[in-house]
Amino acid sequence: MSEMSSSESALLIKGGRVYDHEGNADHPPVADILIVGNKIAAVRGGLAETIESGQAVPELGTTRVTETIDATEKLVIPGFVNAHYHSHDVLLKGCFETIPLELWVLSALPPSYPKRSTAEIRARTLLGSLECLRSGITTVQDLATIYPFDEEHLDAMLKAYEDIGIRCVFALQIADVAGVKSIPFWDEVVPEEQRGGLSGAVEPYRNIDLGDLVRDLLKSRRKVHPRITWALGPSSPERCSDGLLSSLAEISADEKLPVYTHIYESKAMTLIARQTHARDDGSLINYLDRVGLLTPKLSLAHSVWMSPREIDQLKAAGTNVVLNPVGNLKTRSGIAPIRTYMNRGVNVGLGCDNCSCSDAQNMFQSMKMFASLAAVCTPEPGPPTARDAIWSASVGGARTAGLEDQIGALRPGMLADLSIIDLTDPSFVPLNSAARQLVFTESGRSVETVIVDGRVVVRDRKITTLDERALREEVADLMKALRKDIEAVIARNQRMMPYLMEAHRRTWATDIGLNRYVGGGTD
Ligand SMILES: [Zn+2]
């Protein structure tokens, strides 16, 4: 029988076209969706009529429908899963041109900056979530750097996620190898007195055992809110010791937790593997396998410079990749072998990555790039199709969160995470194919209503859970101090520029047996 209690309320979405991954993706049929509590209870035609005429609906039981949303001339789609995201540089969108990844890391990421205030941490977490929600992203997988580590900052982030109402898979980004050791040639070409300024996405925490820290945080905060689940976040394999990765593999297995990491995003990240991981034949996939992390719980963000042999290993292990085509283009990192991942049947999720390297939390941009960039890898038409892109942006991402039974599709029993799209927007007139117009035409403009966990969090394109104007004012105030810090970081990097570019060019001059640039990497 039903698990519903009389205290639950029900929400009815009436008369919309309902997108089904397995159904008609061009002209999804009209159906009604009944949401009871935080779950989808029923999806079928005629449901609203039955309820309105007072007849019994088994899925509703004695619960009352407290709100009806008219979805006539609208399309209901599963909420997107932003499978690779970082909240730590939300306030830096628009700060940088298309600079190389390693220079961007030094310009944008927390280790380059003085410690932030708790108010700034909260504001940026809210603002990033707001941008995600407005474009139909209902789950963010935040691989968050808190540097230097401060529990108050962590709690401020978790509270912000709780308050704004987005679903979050939270992973604390950690590493125990210093940034200066993880980029080819940095410690050769940068003068010793300037090397202190060379950092990665996170730096090792002083006097803290990372395995113990992660176990403690899980114990104290894993159940802080049912909409917030946890994952483990080793920054990238070359920046983590065998000992750290082995202990995370153990925690992942014991606690059944996903693991998020970056891999082979740039050529430099691949070259360092060749230089420092001779024991693993220069392959970070071999390394991950050796420490016990190459499992279906692992998601590898970027995976641009992956070799065909390594892609076969991923398929065999059931390991996921999360592609971030927009950020990869902006950081001059090259193009992932999208078609090969599709052809080999590797699970692919999509992310929007950092706010200062993509610079948009917009899954429509990611889907369009994902589907389109495959076309510069091979002239033969083929996958990914628009339908594949929507699948990766929802189901593919849900798999990387370990939530594939709960989110990513509009089916009875699933959590009610969805968006309602206005089909009277010019993007959908005429309606030739819902899937193709979502991927190739839509910009995010038509996202009208967003529901997470059964709760309306965006209504008529406005967030319902916070005062947007007050947040804007607070951000404007916080930017006074942050802007000065940004300027100082950029000036410092300018002083190091000749050395950084020398390291970058040496990397480019080294053959690693792979090329992920369309033009061959030269100008
Ligand atoms: Zn990232």
Side-chain angles (χ1 to χ4, degrees), residues 84-86 143 173 262 265 301-302 353-354:
H84 188 65
Y85 169 74
H86 304 278
L143 182 46
Q173 181 155 227
H262 298 92
E265 181 172 358
H302 306 298
D353 210 358
N354 296 72

Side-chain angles (χ1 to χ4, degrees), residues 237-256:
E238 74 278 14
R239 307 211 35 240
C240 296
S241 66
D242 302 29
L244 175 58
L245 292 182
S246 302
S247 74
L248 294 178
E250 227 170 80
I251 297 172
S252 168
D254 291 351
E255 306 284 336
K256 302 190 173 29

Side-chain angles (χ1 to χ4, degrees), residues 69-393:
I69 296 174
D70 183 1
T72 309
E73 292 194 280
K74 299 184 202 300
L75 171 69
V76 189
I77 62 170
F80 294 130
V81 178
N82 189 352
H84 188 65
Y85 169 74
H86 304 278
S87 61
H88 43 252
D89 60 329
V90 164
L91 302 181
L92 302 187
K93 65 186 68 133
C95 282
F96 310 108
E97 295 293 338
T98 62
I99 52 180
L101 182 77
E102 287 69 33
L103 180 56
W104 167 78
V105 167
L106 281 181
S107 307
L109 299 189
S112 288
Y113 284 77
K115 185 174 177 179
R116 313 321 296 170
S117 68
T118 305
E120 187 178 314
I121 304 280
R122 175 174 167 83
R124 75 190 190 192
T125 310
L126 292 173
L127 184 65
S129 302
L130 170 61
E131 191 187 348
C132 287
L133 287 169
R134 286 286 308 277
S135 65
I137 292 166
T138 52
T139 298
V140 281
Q141 300 184 176
D142 187 1
L143 182 46
T145 295
I146 301 176
Y147 191 84
F149 183 69
D150 184 335
E151 289 198 1
E152 193 179 297
H153 286 185
L154 170 63
D155 289 333
M157 296 175 76
L158 298 176
K159 185 70 172 65
Y161 282 124
E162 185 182 330
D163 291 348
I164 197 161
I166 201 165
R167 192 175 303 286
C168 174
V169 185
F170 186 87
L172 181 67
Q173 181 155 227
I174 52 174
D176 63 352
V177 173
V180 65
K181 297 279 171 213
S182 65
I183 306 296
F185 312 114
W186 268 8
D187 59 0
E188 286 174 40
V189 301
V190 180
E192 209 171 338
E193 63 276 13
Q194 291 192 37
R195 276 183 220 156
L198 295 172
S199 52
V202 65
E203 288 294 301
Y205 295 152
R206 263 175 223 160
N207 307 320
I208 297 179
D209 180 283
L210 290 171
D212 291 349
L213 175 71
V214 169
R215 283 188 195 276
D216 287 351
L217 293 179
L218 287 171
K219 206 175 281 172
S220 56
R221 290 168 175 81
R222 189 170 180 183
K223 297 211 159 70
V224 75
H225 192 279
R227 224 178 37 245
I228 302 171
T229 56
W230 284 68
L232 305 175
S235 183
S236 51
E238 74 278 14
R239 307 211 35 240
C240 296
S241 66
D242 302 29
L244 175 58
L245 292 182
S246 302
S247 74
L248 294 178
E250 227 170 80
I251 297 172
S252 168
D254 291 351
E255 306 284 336
K256 302 190 173 29
L257 286 176
V259 181
Y260 300 154
T261 192
H262 298 92
I263 199 163
Y264 299 152
E265 181 172 358
S266 65
K267 184 175 179 184
M269 288 172 73
T270 318
L271 176 56
I272 198 79
R274 307 285 192 268
Q275 291 176 339
T276 60
H277 285 69
R279 178 177 173 191
D280 300 299
D281 281 337
S283 163
L284 296 175
I285 299 302
N286 290 344
Y287 179 34
L288 289 166
D289 195 15
R290 174 163 64 78
V291 296
L293 273 173
L294 200 69
T295 75
K297 289 203 165 53
L298 180 67
S299 290
L300 302 171
H302 306 298
S303 302
V304 175
W305 295 77
M306 194 76 71
S307 74
R309 194 184 66 85
E310 289 173 319
I311 294 174
D312 287 337
Q313 287 174 275
L314 300 184
K315 171 62 185 165
T319 294
N320 312 283
V321 302
V322 177
L323 303 180
N324 303 273
V326 182
N328 293 156
L329 291 180
K330 189 153 182 281
T331 55
R332 299 177 173 267
S333 295
I335 297 167
I338 297 170
R339 177 67 70 82
T340 317
Y341 288 123
M342 301 300 294
N343 286 348
R344 305 284 163 89
V346 174
N347 180 52
V348 176
L350 294 179
C352 301
D353 210 358
N354 296 72
C355 291
S356 70
C357 84
S358 64
D359 296 12
Q361 297 310 317
N362 186 315
M363 199 54 87
F364 299 101
Q365 289 188 5
S366 288
M367 292 194 297
K368 184 170 184 170
M369 284 293 170
F370 170 63
S372 304
L373 282 174
V376 297
C377 305
T378 165
E380 288 287 323
T385 60
R387 189 197 278 256
D388 294 333
I390 296 168
W391 191 95
S392 280

Side-chain angles (χ1 to χ4, degrees), residues 453-518:
D453 216 34
R455 176 187 187 199
V456 178
V457 289
V458 175
R459 190 192 303 277
D460 296 333
R461 300 180 172 82
K462 294 260 182 305
I463 190 94
T464 63
T465 49
L466 61 78
D467 180 344
E468 222 175 296
R469 175 191 284 266
L471 178 62
R472 272 203 307 276
E473 286 169 359
E474 191 183 0
V475 166
D477 205 39
L478 291 163
M479 285 309 292
K480 289 174 198 158
L482 180 54
R483 217 160 254 136
K484 285 196 188 115
D485 293 334
I486 297 169
E487 280 163 20
V489 168
I490 290 175
R492 180 206 65 174
N493 290 349
Q494 212 52 47
R495 290 192 291 276
M496 288 196 287
M497 196 61 77
Y499 313 113
L500 298 173
M501 287 312 296
E502 169 67 15
H504 189 56
R505 290 186 186 117
R506 281 201 204 179
T507 298
W508 276 100
T510 312
D511 184 2
I512 60 166
L514 274 180
N515 178 37
R516 297 293 178 218
Y517 277 76
V518 174

